[in-house]
Each structure stands twice: as structure tokens, then as C-alpha cells.
Amino acid sequence: MRRQGKRIAWQQIRNSPGHVGDLRTHLMDGRDERVLVASVFDQHSPVRGSTVELFQPVLVGMATNAFTLRGIERGGYVQEWYVESL
């Protein structure tokens, strides 16, 4: 929902291709602390492993069939994910 930390228009978000896969969380050892990481795993992707990661995710919105997570992406930018079930 953001590009380099800046919010994208909702219409552009809805018209852009998203990531499809399993949403998983795990703890990663950092320099001085453990960091929670949310990852989307696409089993049909030619690249093995996670396709995208969100560090220190926080639940910021909830609906009947969707929710929004906010965290930090690689590069240090704020990122938000709108997650819906298919």
C-alpha cells in the first residue's frame, strides 16, 4: 500500500497485481533483539522461499474478510499490506 514509504492511491492498489500465497510469521535474530517477520510464501513461484517480507508487523485494521498490517520493509521504509482471503 506504499512505495518507498509513501502511500499509493487506493485505485492503483486495487488495480495492481498482488502477491498470492501463504502468510507466515517467524522470529529472526537481530543484532541485539529478536524481530518478528511476516512473509508471503508462494508455492508456485520459481524462486524458492518467501517472496516478500515485512519486519515488525502490527495489525492496524480488521474487516470481515481482510486485515491490514503495517511494518518496515527492506530498505527501512514503512510498508502496509492489505491482506484478504481468496
Side-chain angles (χ1 to χ4, degrees), residues 58-63 66-69:
V58 176
L59 180 67
V60 293
M62 192 77 150
F67 59 92
T68 303
L69 295 175

Side-chain angles (χ1 to χ4, degrees), residues 12-38:
Q12 186 178 357
I13 293 168
R14 295 303 291 173
N15 292 331
S16 299
H19 296 277
V20 177
D22 296 329
L23 178 64
R24 302 177 187 176
T25 60
H26 66 276
L27 289 172
M28 177 185 293
D29 289 325
R31 292 185 180 131
D32 298 326
E33 62 184 343
R34 298 181 90 184
V35 177
L36 182 64
V37 181

Side-chain angles (χ1 to χ4, degrees), residues 37-75:
V37 181
S39 304
V40 176
F41 286 84
D42 180 358
Q43 61 190 24
H44 302 295
S45 173
V47 178
R48 187 173 169 92
S50 66
T51 55
V52 289
E53 293 180 318
L54 188 65
F55 298 91
Q56 299 174 328
V58 176
L59 180 67
V60 293
M62 192 77 150
T64 304
N65 63 342
F67 59 92
T68 303
L69 295 175
R70 181 181 300 138
I72 307 295
E73 64 183 349
R74 289 201 187 274

